[in-house]
Amino acid sequence: MRYLLGKNKTPIDLEQDDVIGSGGEAIVFAHPTQPDKAFKVYHDPTLSRSHKLESFFQQNLQLPANIIVPEEPLFAANGRTVVGFMMRRLPGNFIPLALLMRADFCNQNAISTKIKINICISLLKGLLAIHRYPGICVGDLNDQNEIIIDPRTGEVYWIDVDSWHLSDKFPCVVGTEDYLSPDLYGKDLSRQAYFKPKHDYYSFSTLLFRILMMTHPFGGGVHKQFLSLFDRATHGLTVLDPAVRYPKKAKPREVLTDELSEIIQRYLKRQCDDPFPLAELEKYAGLLIECSHCHLDYPATRDNCPGCAAKTVAKAKLTAKISGCICDIILETPGRIIWHQLSGKDLCVLTDEDDLTVFYRKSPNGQLERKELFKTLTGARYAFFDNVLTVCVDPSAENPELLLIDISGNRPQGISKSSTNCYSGGTAVFASSGRRLYRLSGNSLMSGELFGKSLSDRQVMETIGRQTKIFVADNHELTDNHEVVLVVQRILGDLHWFMAVGDTEGKNFKRLQLSIAELDDQESIIDASVRFGGKTILILRHTREHGVNFVRLDQINIFDGKVSQSKKIKVSEAKQFEEIHGKGFTDEAILHATDDGVKLQNLADNNLLTLPGTDNYISGGERLLRYGNGIIAISGDKIISLRPEK
């Protein structure tokens, strides 16, 4: 596809292989010859977008270097229609703010409250710099579109600057419901310029609270009268209000100082329009200390660690016998759980214990096996098959290397190396079924098994090089022991779904194209998760449309690839889908971890049933695995099994 760049109308050819991102509004391409540049190309290049870009260029704003601004307009081949713009390209491995609100991601990547508050300080500095220009504000400040971070350094970068509120003539036309100030509820943002800096500070305060406390200030917990996030936000009822039942998954209240807690609540209750005080965040950051026992960061002004007190209460509940449910502690680590996988019938776990990676394995009726492996590799990713741990030390590398380590003996032994592709704009693509390692090589999906000390590969199917992701079923999950791989390929802005099903030997694969429901106009995919049952696959897609969050559920038959169910659910009306990862799944139901215990959602009629006795052991945000006649629940430092009392 040919485009023309800038005033000189320099020809630029952008191809499928150049795609590094896509959304409901545009596709992002890498520059074919300049690795530090990228292009944003609109799906619908309107005249109003063109005029807004022209206005932006005319203002010549002097913004900090971490704000990625449009640099030159990009024209269609006719040289008249503005279809997008060129901007600076960032290196890989950047993540949206939303991942800072996922406990499993923070545990796996050692992202502490100290790291988070420095990210929030950088975020606020950017916001204050933007507000120096009269009439300009972000508008739709949320956890996905506007800001990305480098988890390795904590650096914050602002993107999608072209969607900002630049003036009353060029307003921001959408607001994400989770972060929208209640005084804008019900207003058509595309008809009038509503956003002001005070709305950015409301959104920032919501983000700040979610990142530090791991719960939405109005969506977390339960109020007896006002049940929805929107009702509670309208009435200013945060999770810290005495009338709200505080969520178990949240950090202890005492993680905040009383002063910072009061300041945040003033902005959330819309009692303050002034710029958020940067000095207060910097003061809070200087007070944080780490508990030597539970490793929680908390203010030094507290007499005791609030995390240890919470753990004491939780431990007392674990040892109590509750009617209807039997609980066993499988693993409790003094560090943090960084990875887990069911490999056949064995539960395999990696933990970080005093900067040492430790491997645990538990068979159904056997003792817990423990092996010390190597110095902890922050940010590494793992897979396990045939007593071999596959380690990707740098998942964001251009050609990620895979290290194969035999851990069957007393000491880990490196036996081979391999490699895979990155998903363009993302990270390394590889996964394991427990018997085989799946990776990408060129334009092929490969299935590998150990042959002596080498990886013996066979092609599963052809793919689109760096535009492919995979999800692999563990053999224990399937009723017939087949190998099943779900393959997602990006073609420009669209995702295409396939399934590769191998025989019990994993040698002959049939390829099936899946008819997954297409997204609506202006609907963009935020995240996806895949869960495997005995005979079906459940695909969960978190999407956003006009600022409203949805989850799409598609259930696929493993044997013929046909879609048996397809649903689009509004998240505000189904709180159990605020998180799409870590769900347990049977062919008939989804298992959700909530503060009220494990809830079983029947897929046929969407009815929710709380499994008896589980409320004493489970918190929202924990990861669930279906296993045998029970459930495994995984938190930051503990794994328990739950099974029904006979």
Side-chain angles (χ1 to χ4, degrees):
M1 298 170 287
R2 171 151 291 191
Y3 299 95
L4 303 177
L5 178 63
K7 294 179 181 179
N8 296 330
K9 306 290 176 67
T10 305
I12 294 288
D13 292 319
L14 301 179
E15 307 296 340
Q16 164 66 40
D17 288 347
D18 299 321
V19 175
I20 55 176
S22 62
E25 180 184 77
I27 302 173
V28 179
F29 293 86
H31 195 296
T33 60
Q34 299 182 42
D36 61 338
K37 300 294 181 183
F39 298 97
K40 182 173 181 177
V41 181
Y42 297 119
H43 296 307
D44 180 23
T46 62
L47 192 60
S48 62
R49 291 188 192 277
S50 175
H51 289 162
K52 190 173 184 178
L53 282 174
E54 288 175 9
S55 174
F56 183 88
F57 292 130
Q58 289 170 2
Q59 292 186 62
N60 192 29
L61 303 178
Q62 301 300 309
L63 294 167
N66 65 330
I67 298 178
I68 310 304
V69 298
E71 295 181 355
E72 291 189 74
L74 187 70
F75 295 89
N78 60 23
R80 296 185 299 274
T81 307
V82 176
V83 297
F85 56 86
M86 186 175 75
M87 59 186 176
R88 184 156 55 97
R89 181 186 177 184
L90 297 172
N93 202 41
F94 283 81
I95 63 169
L97 278 175
L99 284 180
L100 297 184
M101 305 163 201
R102 276 181 49 185
D104 62 329
F105 179 85
C106 293
N107 284 328
Q108 291 161 8
N109 292 276
I111 299 178
S112 64
T113 302
K114 287 182 180 179
I115 294 174
K116 289 181 179 183
I117 191 60
N118 287 326
I119 289 171
C120 292
I121 287 171
S122 177
L123 176 59
L124 180 56
K125 286 179 178 178
L127 196 57
L128 293 170
I130 293 164
H131 290 167
R132 285 203 300 263
Y133 292 93
I136 296 181
C137 59
V138 177
D140 186 23
L141 179 56
N142 62 65
D143 57 13
Q144 291 287 341
N145 299 333
E146 303 295 339
I147 307 125
I148 56 175
I149 61 174
D150 185 340
R152 299 166 299 185
T153 64
E155 292 180 88
V156 175
Y157 291 89
W158 296 73
I159 56 176
D160 283 353
V161 173
D162 55 305
S163 67
W164 286 1
H165 178 106
L166 295 183
S167 67
D168 289 350
K169 188 177 180 181
F170 301 110
C172 175
V173 299
V174 68
T176 301
E177 58 181 4
D178 290 6
Y179 301 99
L180 188 66
S181 179
D183 63 299
L184 299 181
Y185 287 174
K187 298 188 183 298
D188 185 347
L189 301 175
S190 65
R191 299 291 295 271
Q192 189 177 330
Y194 286 105
F195 284 109
K196 294 179 172 56
K198 67 176 183 178
H199 298 118
D200 282 354
Y201 293 121
Y202 174 91
S203 301
F204 170 77
S205 300
T206 306
L207 282 167
L208 175 66
F209 194 94
R210 287 192 81 171
I211 290 169
L212 296 181
M213 303 304 287
M214 302 301 284
T215 189
H216 193 288
F218 299 113
V222 177
H223 188 277
K224 290 183 179 180
Q225 181 181 358
F226 301 110
L227 302 180
S228 75
L229 180 155
F230 311 106
D231 282 342
R232 281 176 47 194
T234 301
H235 291 86
L237 293 165
T238 74
V239 295
L240 300 177
D241 192 281
V244 177
R245 188 182 71 189
Y246 195 73
K248 290 192 286 186
K249 73 174 184 177
K251 297 283 188 184
R253 305 165 188 257
E254 296 80 9
V255 163
L256 296 178
T257 59
D258 296 340
E259 294 79 8
L260 183 57
S261 176
E262 183 180 341
I263 290 168
I264 294 173
Q265 289 194 81
R266 284 208 302 268
Y267 283 90
L268 293 174
K269 294 173 185 288
R270 292 174 287 135
Q271 297 170 347
C272 186
D273 295 344
D274 296 331
F276 197 99
L278 175 63
E280 291 296 332
L281 285 190
E282 293 175 332
K283 176 183 174 183
Y284 172 73
L287 288 172
L288 288 176
I289 58 174
E290 181 184 2
C291 174
S292 59
H293 297 288
C294 72
H295 304 290
L296 177 74
D297 291 336
Y298 69 97
T301 50
R302 300 291 183 198
D303 292 334
N304 300 293
C305 170
C308 289
K311 285 177 181 293
T312 300
V313 173
K315 194 163 187 176
K317 288 185 175 182
L318 280 174
T319 58
K321 180 171 172 55
I322 304 298
S323 177
C325 181
I326 298 172
C327 173
D328 294 311
I329 299 176
I330 295 177
L331 168 64
E332 194 167 14
T333 172
R336 57 190 176 89
I337 295 170
I338 57 177
W339 168 88
H340 67 271
Q341 177 186 321
L342 279 172
S343 180
K345 294 185 178 182
D346 292 347
L347 174 64
C348 300
V349 181
L350 289 178
T351 67
D352 172 16
E353 299 177 7
D354 292 326
D355 206 26
L356 181 68
T357 299
V358 180
F359 176 80
Y360 290 91
R361 175 156 45 186
K362 176 70 168 67
S363 58
N365 300 312
Q367 296 294 314
L368 183 67
E369 173 190 346
R370 181 184 188 275
K371 291 183 179 180
E372 297 182 353
L373 298 184
F374 40 73
K375 183 179 172 65
T376 294
L377 305 166
T378 302
R381 286 184 49 212
Y382 306 92
F384 185 75
F385 74 105
D386 196 15
N387 282 317
V388 173
L389 182 66
T390 303
V391 182
C392 182
V393 176
D394 186 2
S396 63
E398 187 70 20
N399 294 293
E401 188 175 58
L402 304 179
L403 307 178
L404 276 60
I405 302 174
D406 183 354
I407 58 173
S408 60
N410 293 327
R411 292 184 178 181
Q413 180 182 4
I415 56 173
S416 184
K417 290 183 180 180
S418 187
S419 63
T420 189
N421 292 346
C422 264
Y423 183 67
S424 188
T427 62
V429 179
F430 69 103
S432 168
S433 66
R435 293 190 303 187
R436 288 173 175 79
L437 177 68
Y438 292 87
R439 63 186 185 90
L440 299 178
S441 177
N443 291 323
S444 294
L445 170 63
M446 309 299 293
S447 167
E449 57 185 328
L450 207 59
F451 187 76
K453 292 189 176 182
S454 300
L455 189 66
S456 177
D457 280 327
R458 66 175 64 242
Q459 186 190 51
V460 173
M461 59 179 279
E462 291 186 355
T463 61
I464 305 175
R466 299 173 61 81
Q467 306 292 329
T468 302
K469 287 185 177 181
I470 62 173
F471 302 87
V472 179
D474 182 85
N475 297 119
H476 131 269
E477 296 170 309
L478 307 177
T479 55
D480 60 357
N481 212 28
H482 280 63
E483 296 279 310
V484 177
V485 185
L486 196 69
V487 181
V488 188
Q489 300 192 85
R490 181 172 59 191
I491 301 178
L492 295 180
D494 298 323
L495 296 180
H496 298 259
W497 299 75
F498 301 87
M499 186 168 60
V501 182
D503 56 24
T504 55
E505 299 297 320
K507 295 181 178 179
N508 299 304
F509 285 84
K510 63 177 180 179
R511 175 181 175 275
L512 302 170
Q513 184 164 1
L514 308 180
S515 299
I516 303 299
E518 294 183 2
L519 302 185
D520 297 331
D521 289 342
Q522 302 301 312
E523 182 181 14
S524 59
I525 186 165
I526 302 298
D527 200 1
S529 179
V530 174
R531 314 307 293 173
F532 293 90
K535 299 178 181 178
T536 65
I537 303 172
L538 182 68
I539 301 172
L540 302 94
R541 289 177 289 171
H542 172 199
T543 68
R544 192 168 284 170
E545 183 178 357
H546 300 298
V548 180
N549 292 313
F550 295 90
V551 62
R552 284 184 175 269
L553 304 179
D554 293 279
Q555 190 173 12
I556 313 297
N557 186 294
I558 285 175
F559 304 106
D560 59 17
K562 292 183 178 179
V563 179
S564 57
Q565 293 196 66
S566 186
K567 301 176 182 180
K568 183 181 180 182
I569 302 169
K570 198 173 181 179
V571 172
S572 62
E573 298 171 358
K575 199 171 180 180
Q576 68 272 21
F577 286 115
E578 287 179 348
E579 172 63 83
I580 63 170
H581 295 278
K583 307 293 186 186
F585 176 58
T586 71
D587 290 320
E588 294 79 26
I590 308 173
L591 300 172
H592 305 273
T594 76
D595 278 2
D596 296 318
V598 177
K599 290 188 178 292
L600 184 148
Q601 179 176 354
N602 188 297
L603 280 169
D605 56 18
N606 283 333
N607 281 342
L608 280 172
L609 169 71
T610 301
L611 300 187
T614 58
D615 58 318
N616 215 46
Y617 306 118
I618 297 295
S619 299
E622 292 182 353
R623 271 43 194 163
L624 301 179
L625 294 174
R626 178 181 54 84
Y627 192 65
N629 67 337
I631 300 167
I632 293 172
I634 302 167
S635 62
D637 62 354
K638 190 186 301 90
I639 300 178
I640 63 173
S641 70
L642 300 174
R643 62 187 190 278
E645 189 176 45
K646 292 183 180 179

